[in-house]
Amino acid sequence: MAKTEDILELSVDDVSRALDKKLFSSSELTQAYIDAMSESGELNIYVDQTPELALEMAGSSDSRRSKGEVLGHMDGIPIAVKDLFCTKGVSSTAGSHILDGFKPTYESTVTKKLWESGAILLGKTNMDEFAMGSANVTSYYGPCINPWKAESGDNLGKDLVPGGSSGGSAAAVAARVALAAIGTDTGGSIRQPSSFCGIVGLKPTYGRCSRWGIISFASSLDQAGPLTRSVKDAALMLEVMAGYDPKDSTSADFEVTSYSEALSGKVEGLKIGIPAEYTLDGMPDEINSLWERGKRWLEDSGANIIDISLPHTKYALPAYYIIAPAEASSNLARYDGVRYGLRVEGEDLIDTYEKTRAQGFGAEVKRRIMIGTYVLSAGYYDAYYIQAQKVRSKIINDFDNAWSECDVILTPTAPSAAFSIGEKMDDPISMYMNDVFTVPASMAGLPAISVPAGLSNDGLPLGLHLIGPKFAEEKLLLVAKALELAADFSFRPKT
Ligand code: GLN
């Protein structure tokens, strides 16, 4: 068996081949991850670790392989799962006190597909409560800490956020305490933490992966996706996760192709759109220069860079912060302390509801519920909710027009590198600004990916972001692969 540190560096693709060659077994690999996971406690990445289950699943994978029955490239691969996915018999809390002790009696479709293809559950990862946040600081289980540390600047020596809301999943992959992970993205929650942690994060087209069994935040925006160490790994995982599910009425009955095979295509001649509106006042120079480098890299690979316009971009974030809370306020009405999770007994039923919800939800969730009920209330529905839906249509139209000019769009993933824990906490608007580049694609239901592309002046990872047309995951991954090759991001967190 190779040295443990070496094993932990391998990608899904490498491991899959190594398992075939019997260089080590899935049980050995899984044990190496379990050891690494149990030593990473100070980062607060996992809210629940499942080592016994992991070893049992690895044992089954090994015995299948010994009989020549390999279920595919995910067979024997240990992964981490955001605690928003319902996993049968394993606690699923959405990072909230209100789901204390909730062990679903069913499995989400996406995780079911992964287990059926032989993947192994290492544990459930920390996240912002109900996926509301950009820093993993709204979790009831305390903040998750980014394995990266600043090498200079104001944040030297401080604990940094991993981004959010899939912060635990991103940190797990970056810290080598999971080989890959899954998360969800409603307005940027896969892509922004991937940028902050120096890994690849893919949000597929809305409807590409089933939402069944994922604890709902904003149903018209939520989408599951992989967080990995390479573009190829993201493609391999998506092949397993994607597909039509009759249990989700918004899941798309659209063929799942071999995304990994599409990576051998050429980007030559593809048109890469650069939206003028994504240049923000006061954007740090390091973000602008990263974007410039990205354009050059794609040009050098034979693609054509063209300027485009997405005129309604600046309305995307405000409209998102009406639509997402509106849907959340409705989705979260189900938590009443009666059927599952926390119950705080009151004098009567209404009092029980009130006490349970008052104690069970954190401040950010309450803020969203209040905004959501306000914008849906009879007097303000037209002025806010309907107006935001109209803006959403304009954003969709902007992208539709752009696709007549370009194949994919290149932008930065986030307006900054990871910030310190505690920063932006008293300023929700500045926290919401983190999603300024990721939210428009979410509003339009488009696939988008963050690829680690360089380091900030303080030595922290920065991602570049690609957005593609609906169901154009193949093209998106192909261009992402070209960026990955050019960027050659080989840095590692030092903790
Ligand atoms: N940060 C955004 C929010 O708080 C996006 C969250 C997400 O994508 N789940 O709503």
Side-chain angles (χ1 to χ4, degrees), residues 23-208:
L23 297 183
F24 47 80
S25 66
S26 172
S27 301
E28 287 169 313
L29 173 74
T30 302
Q31 187 61 54
Y33 272 105
I34 290 171
D35 295 344
M37 172 167 78
S38 63
E39 283 160 22
S40 70
E42 78 284 357
L43 298 179
N44 200 19
I45 289 175
Y46 284 92
V47 291
D48 193 13
Q49 303 187 4
T50 55
E52 291 89 17
L53 178 62
L55 287 173
E56 192 186 309
M57 292 170 103
S60 310
S61 171
D62 286 335
S63 69
R64 266 194 306 274
R65 201 173 289 269
S66 68
K67 289 184 237 143
E69 296 163 9
V70 182
L71 299 174
H73 44 254
M74 292 305 292
D75 203 344
I77 304 288
I79 64 166
V81 170
K82 185 180 186 177
D83 210 19
L84 199 62
F85 290 82
C86 287
T87 40
K88 191 172 175 180
V90 176
S91 87
S92 304
T93 66
S96 182
H97 188 30
I98 210 156
L99 277 170
D100 264 2
F102 173 52
K103 289 191 177 165
T105 51
Y106 49 86
E107 189 73 40
S108 86
T109 298
V110 163
T111 46
K112 184 161 179 276
K113 279 168 165 284
L114 283 159
W115 314 144
E116 283 173 358
S117 71
I120 288 159
L121 175 65
L122 284 168
K124 305 291 291 288
T125 54
N126 204 345
M127 55 176 285
D128 281 300
E129 186 176 2
F130 283 103
M132 297 173 189
S134 305
N136 212 129
V137 290
T138 71
S139 168
Y140 176 68
Y141 298 94
C144 167
I145 296 166
N146 193 325
W148 289 82
K149 295 276 179 275
E151 285 170 0
S152 57
D154 294 346
N155 284 333
L156 184 67
K158 293 188 187 160
D159 281 341
L160 305 180
V161 303
S165 63
S166 312
S169 287
V173 176
R176 273 67 186 162
V177 295
L179 177 36
I182 56 171
T184 59
D185 190 312
T186 302
S189 280
I190 289 177
R191 293 162 284 161
Q192 182 256 17
S194 296
S195 177
F196 280 17
C197 291
I199 60 163
V200 173
L202 169 66
K203 179 200 98 72
T205 307
Y206 180 76
R208 183 64 300 187

Side-chain angles (χ1 to χ4, degrees), residues 192 195-196 274 278-295 297 410-418 433-434 436-437 453-458 460-465:
Q192 182 256 17
S195 177
F196 280 17
I274 307 297
Y278 280 59
T279 300
L280 302 179
D281 287 344
M283 191 149 84
D285 286 345
E286 61 189 15
I287 303 290
N288 271 320
S289 54
L290 180 85
W291 197 7
E292 287 305 320
R293 241 177 297 150
K295 293 178 206 173
W297 286 333
L410 174 73
T411 79
T413 308
S416 74
M433 282 302 288
N434 265 283
V436 66
F437 300 132
L455 294 181
S456 70
N457 298 334
D458 295 334
L460 296 171
L462 295 172
L464 280 170
H465 182 226

Side-chain angles (χ1 to χ4, degrees), residues 7 21 37 115 219 234 287 387 405 414 438 452:
I7 288 193
K21 288 194 203 140
M37 172 167 78
W115 314 144
S219 309
I287 303 290
Q387 201 64 13
E405 298 174 66
T438 49

